Amino acid sequence: MSAIGRNDPCPCGSGKKYKRCCLGKGAPAPRAWTAGERDSVLASLMRFARRTEFDGDRAAAEVTFWGRRLEKLTAAEAREAMDFEQSRFGFHEWFVFDCPLRGGGTVVERFLAREGGGLRSGERRYLERMRLSHLRPYEIQSVKLDEGLDLLDLWANKRVRVRERLATRQLVQWDVLAARVILGPDSEPILDGSPYLYPARAKELILGVLRRLSRSLRGKLPRRDEPTLFKNIGMVFHDLWLELVARRPLPTSVTAEGDEVVLCRAVFDVRYRAALEAALANHPELERQDDGTYAWLAEREDEAGFRRGFGTFVLEKGRVVLETMSRQRAERGRALLEAAAGPAVSYRATSHENVQRALERRPARRARPEDEVPPEAAEIVQTFYDRHYRAWLDEPLPALDGRTPREAASLKSARPKVIALLKEMENLSARERLAGRPAYDFGWMWGELGLDRPG
């Protein structure tokens, strides 16, 4: 894939095709600007924007940027929201590059008109590129460490490869972000400014908001003038970030029965192994797997011909362990085993942990070598997840309107929801891997469901 096609929209933000814009102008001189020139001219621009002459514009811009959101918050909540570092960066960037001023133009255009003659050539080139830039929504298709990112422009459905180093160590596949892509100092697309990072599952919600805004502005903007559209609605990316990331409470996952998802292990001592194995083999709700474990399944098939999975009984030396995803299932499984095996087993204890507590206990820093999970523990985690997700394929899910992933994948109308779920799970797993924690590989699931993996 080339960096950008001749007929693609020019990344400089002009709205023209690349061949009729920056490509047609010829390549600029090597290293159109240096990192030092970029940093120095941005500092000068921000000082210029703080002049008292812009006080009225700045006050109006704050109202536009924050909208009525602050009216719904207490004074303390409003201060907290405005203190988010991303909010401060986002506002100042939007104010100088996108916000229209009274009398026309933007802060950066006024700066170039008044101070441009005293700027170095690289400083001026950088601001000219950023002047035309705007935030757009992208999905990361792939990450090449220390090299760059392959992005899908979600609005134009076009792919673009950007050169990037630092972000390749912070972003993972299927991340969704709003970012400015400009032609960099070497005339290759790069990311610049302060991007907003969203959960992978938020993609369709974000696109829905943008489509509604585009329809509401139809007739007020030149036809197909995407740069002007996105400059006009740039503040919505900050609104979405506050709603979906900064102020969003941790989600509560639930099982198909509506119970909170909790990782549970109910442990039983084995007194008479032969009697236990006979009880497990003859129970109608238990099915022996190839690895010697017993899957605990619903007694009857659903309308689609599948049996819902509730947990797994694992035979170990001197004990049997029930692994489930909720306290309620652990209690039901205990009753099932004690009724079936009687004196052959003796209940010892059940361990469980709330997902939110587990997340809070995790260190914010990257794991060091001495913090790595021992191989034997990692193997147990991987085995557990493998059992869980192979059973998950045949569990009805509320997110799929009560269908199982396998059933939904076979229906054209439901297939996009399955793909979105797989992307979200892969995205979360990639973040675990980035943090140095055990991560599950969902690659096999695409083929198992008969789906072509995007990217």
Side-chain angles (χ1 to χ4, degrees):
M1 182 181 70
S2 61
I4 185 167
R6 289 171 53 83
N7 290 312
D8 289 340
C10 187
C12 77
S14 66
K16 300 177 183 178
K17 291 184 178 180
Y18 182 46
K19 67 182 179 182
R20 299 191 183 279
C21 190
C22 291
L23 180 64
K25 297 173 185 176
R31 301 298 300 174
W33 63 83
T34 65
E37 288 173 328
R38 173 191 180 276
D39 293 344
S40 66
V41 79
L42 276 176
S44 298
L45 175 63
M46 293 304 173
R47 284 195 299 271
F48 179 81
R50 289 196 292 270
R51 291 183 177 181
T52 57
E53 66 181 278
F54 297 116
D55 286 351
D57 286 298
R58 190 182 306 105
E62 287 177 351
V63 173
T64 301
F65 189 78
W66 291 99
R68 295 187 175 275
R69 175 179 299 279
L70 296 186
E71 297 177 7
K72 302 176 184 179
L73 305 178
T74 65
E77 289 174 332
R79 283 195 300 272
E80 178 190 358
M82 295 182 74
D83 278 344
F84 281 124
E85 185 177 38
Q86 179 67 52
S87 293
R88 294 198 301 273
F89 286 147
F91 171 75
H92 292 302
E93 185 179 295
W94 174 79
F95 179 55
V96 299
F97 292 118
D98 300 331
C99 180
L101 302 175
R102 293 173 298 180
T106 58
V107 171
V108 67
E109 289 170 343
R110 299 259 183 106
F111 178 74
L112 284 168
R114 296 187 198 173
E115 312 288 341
L119 298 177
R120 288 175 285 180
S121 59
E123 291 176 328
R124 186 175 183 91
R125 285 195 195 99
Y126 172 74
L127 287 186
E128 286 289 358
R129 295 274 173 87
M130 285 297 288
R131 178 179 69 85
L132 298 172
S133 71
H134 54 271
L135 289 167
R136 291 177 74 93
Y138 296 96
E139 180 183 66
I140 296 179
Q141 303 294 290
S142 65
V143 178
K144 295 176 175 58
L145 192 63
D146 291 330
E147 293 183 17
L149 306 165
D150 285 340
L151 306 177
L152 176 67
D153 182 330
L154 294 174
W155 187 259
N157 196 31
K158 297 279 189 179
R159 295 185 64 154
V160 58
R161 177 174 295 168
V162 298
R163 283 188 59 184
E164 178 61 42
R165 187 187 65 80
L166 182 60
T168 63
R169 295 183 175 272
Q170 301 170 338
L171 301 173
V172 297
Q173 189 179 38
W174 310 132
D175 274 345
V176 173
L177 69 158
R180 295 174 190 265
V181 175
I182 67 170
L183 286 180
D186 295 317
S187 291
E188 291 185 277
I190 63 169
L191 295 180
D192 207 305
S194 302
Y196 293 100
L197 179 62
Y198 307 101
R201 65 179 177 276
K203 182 176 75 171
E204 289 305 320
L205 184 151
I206 292 170
L207 285 175
V209 170
L210 296 179
R211 291 186 189 110
R212 286 196 296 274
L213 287 171
S214 176
R215 287 195 295 270
S216 70
L217 292 172
R218 191 175 298 161
K220 300 178 183 178
L221 298 174
R223 190 177 181 185
R224 293 191 294 275
D225 186 355
E226 290 182 3
T228 302
L229 167 66
F230 283 109
K231 279 183 174 290
N232 270 266
I233 65 173
M235 73 293 293
V236 77
F237 291 110
H238 173 259
D239 261 7
L240 288 165
W241 178 80
L242 279 180
E243 188 73 26
L244 299 170
V245 180
R247 299 186 56 80
R248 184 179 179 86
L250 288 172
T252 300
S253 300
V254 297
T255 65
E257 300 90 64
D259 301 318
E260 180 186 5
V261 170
V262 178
L263 183 61
C264 295
R265 283 170 56 86
V267 181
F268 303 79
D269 291 322
V270 177
R271 293 176 175 172
Y272 308 109
R273 190 175 182 90
L276 168 65
E277 291 182 350
L280 295 175
N282 293 318
H283 197 285
E285 294 182 31
L286 303 180
E287 187 174 288
R288 193 178 192 281
Q289 307 298 298
D290 292 340
D291 60 0
T293 63
Y294 284 84
W296 174 24
L297 306 173
E299 188 171 3
R300 295 182 180 82
E301 296 179 347
D302 60 19
E303 295 179 357
F306 297 112
R307 296 172 68 189
R308 180 186 302 176
F310 299 118
T312 304
F313 287 94
V314 182
L315 288 168
E316 299 178 356
K317 186 177 181 180
R319 66 181 188 175
V320 59
V321 178
L322 167 61
E323 299 173 343
T324 70
M325 296 296 285
S326 74
R327 292 184 180 87
Q328 291 80 359
R329 288 183 181 182
E331 287 300 316
R332 287 172 50 207
R334 174 185 174 182
L336 179 150
L337 183 63
E338 290 177 336
V345 296
S346 174
Y347 174 72
R348 177 183 289 182
T350 299
S351 64
H352 49 73
E353 186 167 28
N354 175 284
V355 175
Q356 183 170 340
R357 290 199 190 98
L359 289 172
E360 290 171 351
R361 198 181 65 253
R362 291 175 178 170
R365 57 177 171 77
R366 289 179 63 87
R368 299 171 299 184
E370 59 266 30
D371 298 324
E372 290 181 0
V373 178
E376 59 272 17
E379 185 176 348
I380 291 173
V381 173
Q382 291 293 329
T383 300
F384 175 83
Y385 279 128
D386 194 52
R387 290 181 188 136
H388 169 68
Y389 283 113
R390 289 193 180 276
W392 177 86
L393 293 177
D394 299 312
E395 286 197 19
L397 302 177
L400 300 176
D401 300 321
R403 299 186 179 93
T404 70
R406 200 184 300 276
E407 180 186 9
S410 67
L411 302 174
K412 185 176 180 180
S413 59
R415 200 171 298 140
K417 291 185 177 181
V418 181
I419 292 173
L421 275 177
L422 290 184
K423 282 185 174 183
E424 181 180 352
M425 292 191 298
E426 287 195 333
N427 179 260
L428 293 173
S429 183
R431 291 228 154 265
E432 293 290 285
R433 192 175 296 111
L434 189 67
R437 294 187 285 266
Y440 189 70
D441 183 359
F442 293 93
W444 62 272
M445 202 177 278
W446 296 90
E448 181 73 18
L449 292 174
L451 299 172
D452 292 329
R453 191 176 184 281

